[in-house]
Amino acid sequence: MKKCTYQNFEDLPLMLNATELEHALGISRSSVYELMKKDGFPALWIEGRVVVPRDKFIEWVEQNTGK
């Protein structure tokens, strides 16, 4: 499992890329890309690059953890 390099949500950049999500979630790069393709995950595809807005990522985490 990947070690999280972030201590809280405020440490995350405004737009997260695959590497940052990999570290934040502690999952593999391939799992991040699978997650980004799922319906309901707030991935934003821009000219072949995928980013996730921090605020939408936090909302997604809260919705999917029962908070």
Side-chain angles (χ1 to χ4, degrees), residues 21-64:
L21 285 169
E22 179 182 1
H23 293 287
L25 294 171
I27 61 176
S28 69
R29 176 78 52 103
S30 61
S31 294
V32 168
Y33 282 112
E34 286 180 34
L35 182 61
M36 288 177 154
K37 292 178 183 176
K38 290 191 176 195
D39 286 338
F41 190 77
L44 177 61
W45 295 78
I46 303 171
E47 296 182 13
R49 185 167 185 253
V50 188
V51 293
V52 178
R54 176 180 61 196
D55 294 344
K56 296 295 182 186
F57 173 68
I58 294 168
E59 287 177 23
W60 179 85
V61 168
E62 290 173 349
Q63 290 172 355
N64 287 280

Side-chain angles (χ1 to χ4, degrees), residues 7-25:
Q7 299 300 312
N8 55 54
F9 286 135
E10 289 79 30
D11 291 343
L12 296 171
L14 290 177
M15 300 298 274
L16 293 92
N17 63 26
T19 301
E20 292 156 342
L21 285 169
E22 179 182 1
H23 293 287
L25 294 171

